[in-house]
Coordinates of all heavy atoms in Angstrom, one line a residue:
A142 N -40.3 30.6 53.5 CA -39.9 29.3 53.3 C -41.0 28.4 52.7 O -40.8 27.7 51.8 CB -39.3 28.5 54.4
R143 N -42.2 28.5 53.3 CA -43.3 27.7 52.8 C -43.7 28.3 51.4 O -44.2 27.5 50.5 CB -44.5 27.9 53.8 CG -44.3 27.0 55.1 CD -45.5 26.9 55.8 NE -46.2 28.1 56.1 CZ -46.0 28.8 57.2 NH1 -45.1 28.4 58.1 NH2 -46.6 29.9 57.5
R144 N -43.7 29.5 51.2 CA -44.1 30.1 50.0 C -43.2 29.7 48.8 O -43.6 29.4 47.7 CB -44.2 31.6 50.0 CG -44.6 32.3 48.7 CD -44.7 33.8 48.8 NE -46.0 34.1 49.6 CZ -46.5 35.3 49.8 NH1 -46.0 36.3 49.0 NH2 -47.6 35.6 50.5
L145 N -41.9 29.7 49.1 CA -40.9 29.4 48.1 C -40.5 27.8 48.1 O -39.8 27.4 47.3 CB -39.6 30.1 48.4 CG -39.7 31.7 48.3 CD1 -38.3 32.3 48.6 CD2 -40.3 32.2 47.0
D146 N -41.1 27.1 49.0 CA -40.9 25.7 49.2 C -39.3 25.4 49.3 O -38.7 24.6 48.6 CB -41.3 25.0 47.8 CG -41.4 23.4 48.1 OD1 -41.5 23.0 49.3 OD2 -41.4 22.7 47.2
V147 N -38.8 26.1 50.3 CA -37.4 25.9 50.5 C -37.2 25.9 52.1 O -38.1 26.3 52.8 CB -36.4 27.0 50.1 CG1 -36.4 27.0 48.5 CG2 -36.9 28.4 50.6
P148 N -36.1 25.3 52.7 CA -35.9 25.2 54.1 C -35.8 26.7 54.7 O -35.3 27.6 54.0 CB -34.7 24.5 54.3 CG -34.5 23.7 53.0 CD -35.1 24.5 52.0
V149 N -36.2 26.9 55.9 CA -35.9 28.2 56.6 C -34.5 28.6 56.5 O -34.1 29.8 56.4 CB -36.5 28.1 58.1 CG1 -36.2 29.4 58.9 CG2 -38.0 27.7 58.0
A150 N -33.5 27.6 56.7 CA -32.1 27.9 56.7 C -31.7 28.5 55.5 O -30.9 29.4 55.3 CB -31.4 26.6 57.0
T151 N -32.3 28.1 54.3 CA -32.1 28.6 53.0 C -32.6 30.0 52.9 O -31.8 31.0 52.3 CB -32.7 27.8 51.9 OG1 -32.2 26.5 52.0 CG2 -32.5 28.4 50.6
V152 N -33.7 30.4 53.4 CA -34.2 31.7 53.5 C -33.4 32.7 54.3 O -33.0 33.7 53.8 CB -35.7 31.8 54.0 CG1 -36.2 33.2 54.2 CG2 -36.6 31.1 53.1
N153 N -32.9 32.1 55.4 CA -32.1 33.0 56.2 C -30.9 33.3 55.6 O -30.3 34.4 55.6 CB -31.8 32.3 57.5 CG -33.0 32.2 58.4 OD1 -33.9 33.0 58.3 ND2 -33.0 31.4 59.4
T154 N -30.2 32.3 54.8 CA -29.0 32.5 54.1 C -29.2 33.5 52.9 O -28.4 34.4 52.7 CB -28.5 31.1 53.4 OG1 -28.3 30.3 54.6 CG2 -27.3 31.3 52.7
R155 N -30.3 33.3 52.2 CA -30.5 34.2 51.2 C -30.7 35.7 51.7 O -30.2 36.7 51.0 CB -31.8 34.0 50.4 CG -31.5 32.7 49.6 CD -32.8 32.1 48.8 NE -32.6 30.9 48.1 CZ -33.6 30.3 47.4 NH1 -34.8 30.8 47.4 NH2 -33.3 29.2 46.7
L156 N -31.3 35.9 52.8 CA -31.6 37.1 53.3 C -30.2 37.8 53.7 O -30.0 38.9 53.5 CB -32.5 37.1 54.6 CG -34.1 36.9 54.2 CD1 -34.7 36.6 55.4 CD2 -34.7 38.2 53.5
Q157 N -29.5 37.0 54.4 CA -28.2 37.6 54.9 C -27.2 37.9 53.7 O -26.6 39.0 53.7 CB -27.5 36.5 55.8 CG -26.4 37.1 56.6 CD -26.9 38.2 57.5 OE1 -27.9 38.0 58.3 NE2 -26.3 39.3 57.6
R158 N -27.2 37.1 52.7 CA -26.4 37.3 51.5 C -26.9 38.5 50.8 O -26.1 39.3 50.3 CB -26.3 36.2 50.8 CG -25.4 35.0 51.4 CD -25.5 33.6 50.5 NE -24.8 33.9 49.3 CZ -24.6 33.0 48.3 NH1 -25.2 31.8 48.5 NH2 -24.0 33.2 47.2
G159 N -28.2 38.6 50.7 CA -28.8 39.7 50.0 C -28.5 41.1 50.7 O -28.3 42.1 50.1
L160 N -28.5 41.0 52.0 CA -28.2 42.2 52.8 C -26.7 42.6 52.6 O -26.3 43.8 52.6 CB -28.6 42.2 54.3 CG -30.1 42.0 54.6 CD1 -30.3 41.8 56.0 CD2 -30.7 43.4 54.1
D161 N -25.9 41.6 52.5 CA -24.4 41.8 52.3 C -24.2 42.4 50.9 O -23.4 43.4 50.8 CB -23.6 40.5 52.4 CG -23.6 40.0 53.9 OD1 -23.8 40.7 54.9 OD2 -23.3 38.8 54.0
H162 N -24.9 41.9 49.9 CA -24.7 42.5 48.5 C -25.4 43.9 48.5 O -24.8 44.8 47.9 CB -25.5 41.7 47.6 CG -24.8 40.4 47.2 ND1 -23.6 40.2 47.0 CD2 -25.4 39.0 47.2 CE1 -23.2 38.9 46.8 NE2 -24.3 38.3 46.9
L163 N -26.3 44.3 49.3 CA -27.0 45.6 49.3 C -26.1 46.5 50.0 O -25.9 47.7 49.5 CB -28.4 45.5 50.1 CG -29.2 46.7 50.1 CD1 -29.5 47.1 48.6 CD2 -30.5 46.4 50.8
R164 N -25.4 46.1 51.1 CA -24.5 47.0 51.7 C -23.3 47.4 50.8 O -22.9 48.6 50.6 CB -23.8 46.3 52.9 CG -24.8 46.1 54.1 CD -24.0 45.6 55.2 NE -25.0 45.2 56.3 CZ -25.3 43.8 56.5 NH1 -24.6 42.9 55.8 NH2 -26.3 43.4 57.3
A165 N -22.8 46.5 50.0 CA -21.7 46.6 49.1 C -22.2 47.6 47.9 O -21.5 48.5 47.6 CB -21.2 45.4 48.5
D166 N -23.4 47.3 47.4 CA -23.9 48.1 46.4 C -24.1 49.6 46.8 O -23.8 50.6 46.1 CB -25.2 47.6 45.9 CG -25.1 46.3 45.1 OD1 -24.0 46.0 44.8 OD2 -26.1 45.6 45.0
L167 N -24.7 49.8 48.1 CA -24.7 51.2 48.6 C -23.4 51.8 48.8 O -23.2 53.0 48.6 CB -25.6 51.2 49.9 CG -27.1 50.8 49.8 CD1 -27.7 50.7 51.0 CD2 -27.8 51.8 48.8
D168 N -22.5 51.1 49.2 CA -21.1 51.6 49.4 C -20.6 52.3 48.0 O -20.0 53.3 48.1 CB -20.1 50.6 49.9 CG -20.3 50.1 51.3 OD1 -21.0 50.9 52.0 OD2 -19.9 49.1 51.7
R169 N -20.9 51.6 47.0 CA -20.4 52.1 45.7 C -21.5 53.2 45.1 O -21.0 54.1 44.4 CB -20.5 51.0 44.6 CG -19.4 49.9 44.9 CD -19.4 48.9 43.8 NE -20.6 48.1 43.6 CZ -20.7 46.9 44.2 NH1 -19.7 46.4 45.0 NH2 -21.9 46.2 44.1
A170 N -22.7 53.2 45.4 CA -23.6 54.2 45.1 C -23.4 55.5 45.7 O -23.7 56.6 45.0 CB -25.1 53.7 45.2
F171 N -23.0 55.5 46.8 CA -22.8 56.8 47.6 C -21.3 57.2 47.5 O -20.4 56.4 48.0 CB -23.1 56.8 49.0 CG -24.7 56.8 49.2 CD1 -25.5 55.6 48.9 CD2 -25.4 57.9 49.5 CE1 -26.9 55.6 49.0 CE2 -26.7 57.9 49.7 CZ -27.4 56.7 49.4
P172 N -21.0 58.4 47.1 CA -19.4 58.8 47.0 C -18.7 58.7 48.4 O -17.6 58.4 48.4 CB -19.7 60.2 46.6 CG -20.8 60.4 45.8 CD -21.8 59.5 46.5
G173 N -19.4 59.0 49.4 CA -18.8 59.0 50.7 C -18.8 57.6 51.3 O -18.5 57.5 52.5
G174 N -19.2 56.6 50.5 CA -19.2 55.2 51.1 C -20.2 55.0 52.2 O -21.3 55.6 52.3
R175 N -20.0 54.0 53.1 CA -20.9 53.6 54.1 C -21.3 54.7 55.1 O -22.5 54.8 55.5 CB -20.3 52.4 54.9 CG -21.3 51.8 55.8 CD -20.8 50.4 56.2 NE -20.9 49.5 55.0 CZ -20.8 48.2 55.1 NH1 -20.7 47.6 56.3 NH2 -20.9 47.4 54.0
R176 N -20.3 55.5 55.4 CA -20.6 56.6 56.3 C -21.7 57.5 55.8 O -22.5 58.0 56.5 CB -19.3 57.4 56.7 CG -19.5 58.6 57.6 CD -18.1 59.3 57.8 NE -18.3 60.3 58.8 CZ -18.2 60.2 60.1 NH1 -17.9 59.0 60.6 NH2 -18.3 61.3 61.0

Side-chain angles (χ1 to χ4, degrees):
R143 291 197 300 274
R144 177 174 294 190
L145 300 180
D146 192 25
V147 298
V149 176
T151 299
V152 173
N153 290 340
T154 298
R155 292 176 180 177
L156 287 171
Q157 198 60 52
R158 293 177 64 184
L160 293 175
D161 291 340
H162 289 311
L163 187 56
R164 293 188 195 99
D166 293 343
L167 291 176
D168 288 344
R169 291 188 294 267
F171 286 78
R175 183 160 301 189
R176 182 182 182 87

